[in-house]
Amino acid sequence: MKVVLQNVTKIFPSRNKKSKEEVVAVNNFDFTIPDGKLVGLLGPSGCGKSTTLYMISGLQKLTSGKIFFGDDDVTDLSPENRGVGLVFQNYALYPHMTVKQNIMFPLQNLTGKDKLTKEEMLSRTVEAAKLVQIDELLDRKPSELSGGQQQRVAIARALVKMPRILLLDEPLSNLDARLRLQTREEIRRIQRETKITTIFVTHDQEEAMSISDVIVVMKLGVVQQIGAPQDVYDDPVNLFVAKFLGTPPINVFSGKVSGGKVYIGDSEAVADAKGVPDQEVFIGIRPEGFIVDAAGPLTCTLSGIEVMGRDSSVITTNAASLNPFIRSIIDSDIKVDPKSEKVRFSIKPNKIFIFNKETEERIRPEVK
Amino acid sequence: MVDSKHQWKAWIYLLPALVLILVFTVWPIINTVRLAFLENYNMMTALKGAKFNINFNNFIKVVQYPGFKSCLLNTVLLCILTVPISTVLALLIAVALNSIKGLQKFLQTVFFLPYVTNSIAIGMVFAAMFNMVGNAYGTQNEIIVTAGIINNIIEFFGGTRVNWINVGSSYLANMTVMVIYIVWNALPFKILILLGGLQSINKQYYDAAKIDGTRKGRILTRITVPLLSPMLAYVIITGFIGGFKEYTSIVGIFGEKLGPADDAGRLNTMVGYIYDSLAGKHQGRASAAALILFGIILVVTLINLRVSKKRVHY
């Protein structure tokens, strides 16, 4: 089932009666989520990603715009008639019910022609539990489960009524680091097996990048960029997206374009910018974009080396950098003398981005 | 831990409270138990050094006393009737209050008013509402003829007037008035507790239920009530304890006669019986009755706790 969001806008009225200031939580969201894909809504807190999810679920009403599931207009449909499964951030498992009762609860609500017999309910419950691999825990109470197990129960409860769309609100935020890795693979597996269009919300870019087919980067209620994770990473449309994606984060410098060349501080030209008029710019360089090169154009002061085994981080400083430290990741085969004061880098041309200083929009040089 | 060298200091700080508790709580309890087993105890002769036999005669006298059975029956009946009714009503009102947005604070105050009003005063108002005054019902001096607000309302809707509390009224009518009054009086505290419980329930449970298309009735029985069960258990247990101590409400409606004028004492309760015995200088009998009441409350509370252990979740 594809999901179409047409100019979806959500405005929360001001709480304070004196100031008539409204909060625009989601501004003109326009996007079609393709059928059977796993989509990550990504952005810092307060960017409207959860509001978008709740509007798709029907728990929040739209201020304007329309939502379609397939060809059905569901904009004015109440949540129970939309056929969505929602997994809450803190799971919202009923503490007084066993795992089995929790998963079965949505089925018991069905009436009329959808009403199921006890046997059907039980078999669907066991099926859902098997899918998320908790069929051994059916008689436990939620309080007797670990965070990861509770998460699976919540997913099973959302899946048991065979929803058209599965929605996950910050599905991994309550789990510890190791479980997070495991569970995100699990979500990917379940989504692949069920082929249900799944939308999840996260503020963790790594999480979104690792499992999504498509990511939607949002900021202050406005969609910044939509695309496959790798495409968005490799080709950010503005400084915000470039900064938001990637760990370690992108290194930002202030510099200038002059005569079709990019300069950082008082460095030599670090890259070409053919056809770009002379101006002050922000320059972003991915950590993996640095090459240690004795004749390189960028000279930085060495401040430390972190060895990780597979690769190492060279930490340097430069007056033109907006961050206190520049982090560059280089292959561990390349040795940098820790005692040397200066390191010189050359820059991989596809890992450097230039942005307009005022609008922070990407400036794209002509391709040769 | 306090340094053992200075432990006496701690005791000094505790002393004022301890003395008060010992004199006004602990000693009376011990003395009640003591008096209950002393036959024909009399304070005046006791002061002169008289000795009393230790036996169960007080208990036997209490049980054999002709009014005792009806006191016990009244008490138990009022408990069994008022606790479930008031709990269910309080639950429904609390749920309704919790679900409205406007006027919530105002209505909360309105529903809480009976709690801060003297129960004798409320009783007098209720008595006036149910009272029939006039030549046909009261004494000859009372010339204003009214059947009371409640009867006026009943007659307005085409019913026949009921003699609620006056001379010649039935036991059923008397009990009806008592139940209405006690339930009304018990509501505010229960609403307050349940509303507090409701407001602490995570809203996401209701969002989840909404997504799953749960009907209103099922949300109440399958989600709200179980999640509210600790508060419900508290309200029911304290309700039973309060119910077994019912007395002032009877005085409020019927005055000191504890029943309609032609059948005084008909609505007397256990606590009323204890007061009566004290008034008759039968401290021994009063103590024995108090111990019996204590035993009953203890058993009922234990049953309550046993049941709630199964029913109260987490």
Side-chain angles (χ1 to χ4, degrees), chain A residues 48-79:
Chain A
K49 54 195 190 301
S50 285
T51 309
T52 307
L53 195 80
Y54 284 126
M55 283 194 290
I56 297 172
S57 77
L59 287 174
Q60 295 263 15
K61 292 263 163 285
L62 282 70
T63 307
S64 66
K66 281 197 178 305
I67 296 178
F68 296 88
F69 288 178
D71 296 325
D72 308 344
D73 184 351
V74 298
T75 313
D76 297 318
L77 230 50
S78 55

PDB file of all heavy atoms in Angstrom, chain A residues 48-79:
ATOM      1  N   GLY A  48       8.923  17.862  13.673  1.00  0.00           N
ATOM      2  CA  GLY A  48       7.609  17.514  13.144  1.00  0.00           C
ATOM      3  C   GLY A  48       7.509  16.096  12.621  1.00  0.00           C
ATOM      4  O   GLY A  48       6.501  15.730  12.043  1.00  0.00           O
ATOM      5  N   LYS A  49       8.537  15.293  12.868  1.00  0.00           N
ATOM      6  CA  LYS A  49       8.498  13.940  12.311  1.00  0.00           C
ATOM      7  C   LYS A  49       7.473  13.062  13.028  1.00  0.00           C
ATOM      8  O   LYS A  49       6.721  12.322  12.375  1.00  0.00           O
ATOM      9  CB  LYS A  49       9.884  13.289  12.339  1.00  0.00           C
ATOM     10  CG  LYS A  49      10.550  13.269  13.706  1.00  0.00           C
ATOM     11  CD  LYS A  49      12.022  12.947  13.587  1.00  0.00           C
ATOM     12  CE  LYS A  49      12.669  12.677  14.931  1.00  0.00           C
ATOM     13  NZ  LYS A  49      12.595  13.763  15.912  1.00  0.00           N
ATOM     14  N   SER A  50       7.394  13.173  14.359  1.00  0.00           N
ATOM     15  CA  SER A  50       6.393  12.386  15.084  1.00  0.00           C
ATOM     16  C   SER A  50       4.984  12.861  14.745  1.00  0.00           C
ATOM     17  O   SER A  50       4.066  12.050  14.612  1.00  0.00           O
ATOM     18  CB  SER A  50       6.611  12.486  16.595  1.00  0.00           C
ATOM     19  OG  SER A  50       7.712  11.705  16.971  1.00  0.00           O
ATOM     20  N   THR A  51       4.820  14.182  14.621  1.00  0.00           N
ATOM     21  CA  THR A  51       3.510  14.724  14.256  1.00  0.00           C
ATOM     22  C   THR A  51       3.065  14.152  12.914  1.00  0.00           C
ATOM     23  O   THR A  51       1.908  13.771  12.743  1.00  0.00           O
ATOM     24  CB  THR A  51       3.576  16.257  14.185  1.00  0.00           C
ATOM     25  OG1 THR A  51       4.156  16.733  15.393  1.00  0.00           O
ATOM     26  CG2 THR A  51       2.210  16.862  14.008  1.00  0.00           C
ATOM     27  N   THR A  52       4.005  14.081  11.961  1.00  0.00           N
ATOM     28  CA  THR A  52       3.679  13.500  10.661  1.00  0.00           C
ATOM     29  C   THR A  52       3.193  12.064  10.831  1.00  0.00           C
ATOM     30  O   THR A  52       2.179  11.655  10.261  1.00  0.00           O
ATOM     31  CB  THR A  52       4.929  13.523   9.750  1.00  0.00           C
ATOM     32  OG1 THR A  52       5.431  14.847   9.720  1.00  0.00           O
ATOM     33  CG2 THR A  52       4.594  13.061   8.360  1.00  0.00           C
ATOM     34  N   LEU A  53       3.915  11.301  11.655  1.00  0.00           N
ATOM     35  CA  LEU A  53       3.540   9.901  11.881  1.00  0.00           C
ATOM     36  C   LEU A  53       2.142   9.802  12.488  1.00  0.00           C
ATOM     37  O   LEU A  53       1.318   8.989  12.068  1.00  0.00           O
ATOM     38  CB  LEU A  53       4.563   9.258  12.822  1.00  0.00           C
ATOM     39  CG  LEU A  53       4.521   7.740  12.875  1.00  0.00           C
ATOM     40  CD1 LEU A  53       5.247   7.170  11.670  1.00  0.00           C
ATOM     41  CD2 LEU A  53       5.154   7.221  14.145  1.00  0.00           C
ATOM     42  N   TYR A  54       1.870  10.672  13.480  1.00  0.00           N
ATOM     43  CA  TYR A  54       0.566  10.614  14.139  1.00  0.00           C
ATOM     44  C   TYR A  54      -0.549  11.062  13.198  1.00  0.00           C
ATOM     45  O   TYR A  54      -1.686  10.610  13.326  1.00  0.00           O
ATOM     46  CB  TYR A  54       0.573  11.442  15.425  1.00  0.00           C
ATOM     47  CG  TYR A  54       1.304  10.747  16.541  1.00  0.00           C
ATOM     48  CD1 TYR A  54       2.343  11.359  17.226  1.00  0.00           C
ATOM     49  CD2 TYR A  54       0.962   9.446  16.901  1.00  0.00           C
ATOM     50  CE1 TYR A  54       3.027  10.704  18.228  1.00  0.00           C
ATOM     51  CE2 TYR A  54       1.635   8.786  17.902  1.00  0.00           C
ATOM     52  CZ  TYR A  54       2.669   9.414  18.564  1.00  0.00           C
ATOM     53  OH  TYR A  54       3.331   8.757  19.550  1.00  0.00           O
ATOM     54  N   MET A  55      -0.216  11.939  12.254  1.00  0.00           N
ATOM     55  CA  MET A  55      -1.243  12.331  11.283  1.00  0.00           C
ATOM     56  C   MET A  55      -1.538  11.167  10.337  1.00  0.00           C
ATOM     57  O   MET A  55      -2.684  10.941   9.961  1.00  0.00           O
ATOM     58  CB  MET A  55      -0.794  13.566  10.499  1.00  0.00           C
ATOM     59  CG  MET A  55      -0.935  14.840  11.316  1.00  0.00           C
ATOM     60  SD  MET A  55      -0.804  16.335  10.333  1.00  0.00           S
ATOM     61  CE  MET A  55       0.911  16.325   9.896  1.00  0.00           C
ATOM     62  N   ILE A  56      -0.499  10.412   9.989  1.00  0.00           N
ATOM     63  CA  ILE A  56      -0.739   9.245   9.135  1.00  0.00           C
ATOM     64  C   ILE A  56      -1.573   8.215   9.897  1.00  0.00           C
ATOM     65  O   ILE A  56      -2.459   7.574   9.340  1.00  0.00           O
ATOM     66  CB  ILE A  56       0.601   8.636   8.661  1.00  0.00           C
ATOM     67  CG1 ILE A  56       1.362   9.641   7.799  1.00  0.00           C
ATOM     68  CG2 ILE A  56       0.360   7.345   7.876  1.00  0.00           C
ATOM     69  CD1 ILE A  56       2.768   9.220   7.445  1.00  0.00           C
ATOM     70  N   SER A  57      -1.318   8.090  11.219  1.00  0.00           N
ATOM     71  CA  SER A  57      -2.070   7.111  12.011  1.00  0.00           C
ATOM     72  C   SER A  57      -3.507   7.560  12.247  1.00  0.00           C
ATOM     73  O   SER A  57      -4.378   6.745  12.506  1.00  0.00           O
ATOM     74  CB  SER A  57      -1.392   6.900  13.366  1.00  0.00           C
ATOM     75  OG  SER A  57      -1.678   7.978  14.227  1.00  0.00           O
ATOM     76  N   GLY A  58      -3.750   8.857  12.183  1.00  0.00           N
ATOM     77  CA  GLY A  58      -5.100   9.365  12.425  1.00  0.00           C
ATOM     78  C   GLY A  58      -5.288   9.895  13.829  1.00  0.00           C
ATOM     79  O   GLY A  58      -6.349  10.414  14.158  1.00  0.00           O
ATOM     80  N   LEU A  59      -4.266   9.761  14.689  1.00  0.00           N
ATOM     81  CA  LEU A  59      -4.411  10.265  16.057  1.00  0.00           C
ATOM     82  C   LEU A  59      -4.358  11.790  16.088  1.00  0.00           C
ATOM     83  O   LEU A  59      -4.881  12.413  16.999  1.00  0.00           O
ATOM     84  CB  LEU A  59      -3.320   9.684  16.954  1.00  0.00           C
ATOM     85  CG  LEU A  59      -3.484   8.207  17.310  1.00  0.00           C
ATOM     86  CD1 LEU A  59      -2.267   7.705  18.072  1.00  0.00           C
ATOM     87  CD2 LEU A  59      -4.735   7.964  18.113  1.00  0.00           C
ATOM     88  N   GLN A  60      -3.714  12.385  15.089  1.00  0.00           N
ATOM     89  CA  GLN A  60      -3.697  13.838  14.968  1.00  0.00           C
ATOM     90  C   GLN A  60      -4.451  14.223  13.702  1.00  0.00           C
ATOM     91  O   GLN A  60      -4.308  13.566  12.675  1.00  0.00           O
ATOM     92  CB  GLN A  60      -2.254  14.350  14.834  1.00  0.00           C
ATOM     93  CG  GLN A  60      -1.397  14.119  16.050  1.00  0.00           C
ATOM     94  CD  GLN A  60      -1.326  15.330  16.937  1.00  0.00           C
ATOM     95  OE1 GLN A  60      -2.124  16.255  16.802  1.00  0.00           O
ATOM     96  NE2 GLN A  60      -0.377  15.341  17.856  1.00  0.00           N
ATOM     97  N   LYS A  61      -5.229  15.279  13.816  1.00  0.00           N
ATOM     98  CA  LYS A  61      -5.954  15.768  12.637  1.00  0.00           C
ATOM     99  C   LYS A  61      -5.070  16.716  11.836  1.00  0.00           C
ATOM    100  O   LYS A  61      -4.250  17.439  12.404  1.00  0.00           O
ATOM    101  CB  LYS A  61      -7.220  16.496  13.081  1.00  0.00           C
ATOM    102  CG  LYS A  61      -8.240  15.564  13.701  1.00  0.00           C
ATOM    103  CD  LYS A  61      -9.288  15.126  12.683  1.00  0.00           C
ATOM    104  CE  LYS A  61     -10.062  13.911  13.143  1.00  0.00           C
ATOM    105  NZ  LYS A  61      -9.332  12.632  13.061  1.00  0.00           N
ATOM    106  N   LEU A  62      -5.265  16.732  10.521  1.00  0.00           N
ATOM    107  CA  LEU A  62      -4.508  17.634   9.667  1.00  0.00           C
ATOM    108  C   LEU A  62      -5.121  19.027   9.737  1.00  0.00           C
ATOM    109  O   LEU A  62      -6.335  19.167   9.869  1.00  0.00           O
ATOM    110  CB  LEU A  62      -4.561  17.167   8.215  1.00  0.00           C
ATOM    111  CG  LEU A  62      -3.670  16.011   7.779  1.00  0.00           C
ATOM    112  CD1 LEU A  62      -4.126  14.711   8.375  1.00  0.00           C
ATOM    113  CD2 LEU A  62      -3.648  15.926   6.270  1.00  0.00           C
ATOM    114  N   THR A  63      -4.271  20.053   9.657  1.00  0.00           N
ATOM    115  CA  THR A  63      -4.793  21.404   9.516  1.00  0.00           C
ATOM    116  C   THR A  63      -5.216  21.632   8.066  1.00  0.00           C
ATOM    117  O   THR A  63      -6.267  22.188   7.793  1.00  0.00           O
ATOM    118  CB  THR A  63      -3.737  22.443   9.927  1.00  0.00           C
ATOM    119  OG1 THR A  63      -3.270  22.094  11.229  1.00  0.00           O
ATOM    120  CG2 THR A  63      -4.326  23.831   9.962  1.00  0.00           C
ATOM    121  N   SER A  64      -4.364  21.186   7.151  1.00  0.00           N
ATOM    122  CA  SER A  64      -4.767  21.213   5.747  1.00  0.00           C
ATOM    123  C   SER A  64      -3.974  20.148   5.009  1.00  0.00           C
ATOM    124  O   SER A  64      -2.996  19.611   5.524  1.00  0.00           O
ATOM    125  CB  SER A  64      -4.518  22.588   5.136  1.00  0.00           C
ATOM    126  OG  SER A  64      -3.130  22.837   5.092  1.00  0.00           O
ATOM    127  N   GLY A  65      -4.417  19.840   3.790  1.00  0.00           N
ATOM    128  CA  GLY A  65      -3.764  18.808   3.012  1.00  0.00           C
ATOM    129  C   GLY A  65      -4.550  17.513   3.028  1.00  0.00           C
ATOM    130  O   GLY A  65      -5.625  17.448   3.632  1.00  0.00           O
ATOM    131  N   LYS A  66      -4.027  16.515   2.356  1.00  0.00           N
ATOM    132  CA  LYS A  66      -4.741  15.240   2.254  1.00  0.00           C
ATOM    133  C   LYS A  66      -3.779  14.078   2.398  1.00  0.00           C
ATOM    134  O   LYS A  66      -2.600  14.182   2.061  1.00  0.00           O
ATOM    135  CB  LYS A  66      -5.452  15.144   0.901  1.00  0.00           C
ATOM    136  CG  LYS A  66      -6.752  15.939   0.842  1.00  0.00           C
ATOM    137  CD  LYS A  66      -7.598  15.483  -0.308  1.00  0.00           C
ATOM    138  CE  LYS A  66      -8.931  16.224  -0.373  1.00  0.00           C
ATOM    139  NZ  LYS A  66      -9.708  16.141   0.860  1.00  0.00           N
ATOM    140  N   ILE A  67      -4.301  12.958   2.915  1.00  0.00           N
ATOM    141  CA  ILE A  67      -3.514  11.738   3.006  1.00  0.00           C
ATOM    142  C   ILE A  67      -4.278  10.627   2.284  1.00  0.00           C
ATOM    143  O   ILE A  67      -5.490  10.461   2.503  1.00  0.00           O
ATOM    144  CB  ILE A  67      -3.253  11.336   4.469  1.00  0.00           C
ATOM    145  CG1 ILE A  67      -2.404  12.401   5.171  1.00  0.00           C
ATOM    146  CG2 ILE A  67      -2.564   9.982   4.551  1.00  0.00           C
ATOM    147  CD1 ILE A  67      -2.147  12.117   6.625  1.00  0.00           C
ATOM    148  N   PHE A  68      -3.592   9.902   1.409  1.00  0.00           N
ATOM    149  CA  PHE A  68      -4.199   8.753   0.732  1.00  0.00           C
ATOM    150  C   PHE A  68      -3.433   7.490   1.094  1.00  0.00           C
ATOM    151  O   PHE A  68      -2.211   7.511   1.149  1.00  0.00           O
ATOM    152  CB  PHE A  68      -4.134   8.922  -0.795  1.00  0.00           C
ATOM    153  CG  PHE A  68      -4.924  10.086  -1.312  1.00  0.00           C
ATOM    154  CD1 PHE A  68      -4.364  11.348  -1.397  1.00  0.00           C
ATOM    155  CD2 PHE A  68      -6.235   9.903  -1.720  1.00  0.00           C
ATOM    156  CE1 PHE A  68      -5.100  12.417  -1.875  1.00  0.00           C
ATOM    157  CE2 PHE A  68      -6.971  10.971  -2.207  1.00  0.00           C
ATOM    158  CZ  PHE A  68      -6.407  12.237  -2.278  1.00  0.00           C
ATOM    159  N   PHE A  69      -4.172   6.390   1.340  1.00  0.00           N
ATOM    160  CA  PHE A  69      -3.552   5.060   1.394  1.00  0.00           C
ATOM    161  C   PHE A  69      -3.947   4.399   0.085  1.00  0.00           C
ATOM    162  O   PHE A  69      -5.119   4.102  -0.131  1.00  0.00           O
ATOM    163  CB  PHE A  69      -4.095   4.233   2.561  1.00  0.00           C
ATOM    164  CG  PHE A  69      -3.622   4.705   3.918  1.00  0.00           C
ATOM    165  CD1 PHE A  69      -4.074   4.069   5.073  1.00  0.00           C
ATOM    166  CD2 PHE A  69      -2.720   5.744   4.062  1.00  0.00           C
ATOM    167  CE1 PHE A  69      -3.654   4.477   6.316  1.00  0.00           C
ATOM    168  CE2 PHE A  69      -2.298   6.159   5.308  1.00  0.00           C
ATOM    169  CZ  PHE A  69      -2.770   5.526   6.438  1.00  0.00           C
ATOM    170  N   GLY A  70      -2.994   4.162  -0.775  1.00  0.00           N
ATOM    171  CA  GLY A  70      -3.356   3.679  -2.103  1.00  0.00           C
ATOM    172  C   GLY A  70      -4.183   4.753  -2.775  1.00  0.00           C
ATOM    173  O   GLY A  70      -3.740   5.893  -2.904  1.00  0.00           O
ATOM    174  N   ASP A  71      -5.417   4.408  -3.152  1.00  0.00           N
ATOM    175  CA  ASP A  71      -6.292   5.403  -3.766  1.00  0.00           C
ATOM    176  C   ASP A  71      -7.353   5.909  -2.795  1.00  0.00           C
ATOM    177  O   ASP A  71      -8.155   6.769  -3.151  1.00  0.00           O
ATOM    178  CB  ASP A  71      -6.983   4.804  -5.011  1.00  0.00           C
ATOM    179  CG  ASP A  71      -5.958   4.462  -6.085  1.00  0.00           C
ATOM    180  OD1 ASP A  71      -4.969   5.220  -6.202  1.00  0.00           O
ATOM    181  OD2 ASP A  71      -6.128   3.443  -6.770  1.00  0.00           O
ATOM    182  N   ASP A  72      -7.377   5.350  -1.562  1.00  0.00           N
ATOM    183  CA  ASP A  72      -8.396   5.773  -0.591  1.00  0.00           C
ATOM    184  C   ASP A  72      -7.973   7.055   0.091  1.00  0.00           C
ATOM    185  O   ASP A  72      -6.864   7.148   0.617  1.00  0.00           O
ATOM    186  CB  ASP A  72      -8.609   4.711   0.508  1.00  0.00           C
ATOM    187  CG  ASP A  72      -8.870   3.339  -0.064  1.00  0.00           C
ATOM    188  OD1 ASP A  72      -9.186   3.272  -1.271  1.00  0.00           O
ATOM    189  OD2 ASP A  72      -8.744   2.354   0.684  1.00  0.00           O
ATOM    190  N   ASP A  73      -8.882   8.011   0.109  1.00  0.00           N
ATOM    191  CA  ASP A  73      -8.645   9.226   0.877  1.00  0.00           C
ATOM    192  C   ASP A  73      -8.959   8.919   2.338  1.00  0.00           C
ATOM    193  O   ASP A  73     -10.093   8.620   2.691  1.00  0.00           O
ATOM    194  CB  ASP A  73      -9.559  10.340   0.358  1.00  0.00           C
ATOM    195  CG  ASP A  73      -9.293  11.660   1.057  1.00  0.00           C
ATOM    196  OD1 ASP A  73      -8.522  11.652   2.043  1.00  0.00           O
ATOM    197  OD2 ASP A  73      -9.840  12.680   0.624  1.00  0.00           O
ATOM    198  N   VAL A  74      -7.940   8.935   3.205  1.00  0.00           N
ATOM    199  CA  VAL A  74      -8.157   8.599   4.616  1.00  0.00           C
ATOM    200  C   VAL A  74      -8.083   9.839   5.498  1.00  0.00           C
ATOM    201  O   VAL A  74      -8.088   9.724   6.726  1.00  0.00           O
ATOM    202  CB  VAL A  74      -7.133   7.556   5.123  1.00  0.00           C
ATOM    203  CG1 VAL A  74      -7.282   6.260   4.361  1.00  0.00           C
ATOM    204  CG2 VAL A  74      -5.713   8.085   5.032  1.00  0.00           C
ATOM    205  N   THR A  75      -8.026  11.022   4.882  1.00  0.00           N
ATOM    206  CA  THR A  75      -7.786  12.252   5.643  1.00  0.00           C
ATOM    207  C   THR A  75      -8.739  12.396   6.824  1.00  0.00           C
ATOM    208  O   THR A  75      -8.333  12.771   7.918  1.00  0.00           O
ATOM    209  CB  THR A  75      -7.931  13.478   4.719  1.00  0.00           C
ATOM    210  OG1 THR A  75      -7.214  13.212   3.537  1.00  0.00           O
ATOM    211  CG2 THR A  75      -7.408  14.725   5.389  1.00  0.00           C
ATOM    212  N   ASP A  76     -10.033  12.111   6.591  1.00  0.00           N
ATOM    213  CA  ASP A  76     -11.013  12.314   7.656  1.00  0.00           C
ATOM    214  C   ASP A  76     -11.414  11.020   8.335  1.00  0.00           C
ATOM    215  O   ASP A  76     -12.374  10.989   9.110  1.00  0.00           O
ATOM    216  CB  ASP A  76     -12.248  13.015   7.082  1.00  0.00           C
ATOM    217  CG  ASP A  76     -11.899  14.398   6.551  1.00  0.00           C
ATOM    218  OD1 ASP A  76     -11.130  15.097   7.243  1.00  0.00           O
ATOM    219  OD2 ASP A  76     -12.350  14.743   5.450  1.00  0.00           O
ATOM    220  N   LEU A  77     -10.690   9.948   8.047  1.00  0.00           N
ATOM    221  CA  LEU A  77     -11.021   8.656   8.650  1.00  0.00           C
ATOM    222  C   LEU A  77     -10.455   8.580  10.067  1.00  0.00           C
ATOM    223  O   LEU A  77      -9.356   9.068  10.330  1.00  0.00           O
ATOM    224  CB  LEU A  77     -10.405   7.550   7.780  1.00  0.00           C
ATOM    225  CG  LEU A  77     -11.301   6.394   7.348  1.00  0.00           C
ATOM    226  CD1 LEU A  77     -12.604   6.908   6.752  1.00  0.00           C
ATOM    227  CD2 LEU A  77     -10.575   5.514   6.350  1.00  0.00           C
ATOM    228  N   SER A  78     -11.211   7.971  10.980  1.00  0.00           N
ATOM    229  CA  SER A  78     -10.701   7.820  12.343  1.00  0.00           C
ATOM    230  C   SER A  78      -9.658   6.694  12.350  1.00  0.00           C
ATOM    231  O   SER A  78      -9.639   5.854  11.453  1.00  0.00           O
ATOM    232  CB  SER A  78     -11.849   7.516  13.297  1.00  0.00           C
ATOM    233  OG  SER A  78     -12.554   6.404  12.841  1.00  0.00           O
ATOM    234  N   PRO A  79      -8.772   6.699  13.377  1.00  0.00           N
ATOM    235  CA  PRO A  79      -7.627   5.775  13.368  1.00  0.00           C
ATOM    236  C   PRO A  79      -8.023   4.316  13.145  1.00  0.00           C
ATOM    237  O   PRO A  79      -7.364   3.613  12.392  1.00  0.00           O
ATOM    238  CB  PRO A  79      -7.017   5.959  14.751  1.00  0.00           C
ATOM    239  CG  PRO A  79      -7.507   7.251  15.249  1.00  0.00           C
ATOM    240  CD  PRO A  79      -8.774   7.564  14.550  1.00  0.00           C
TER     241      PRO A  79
END
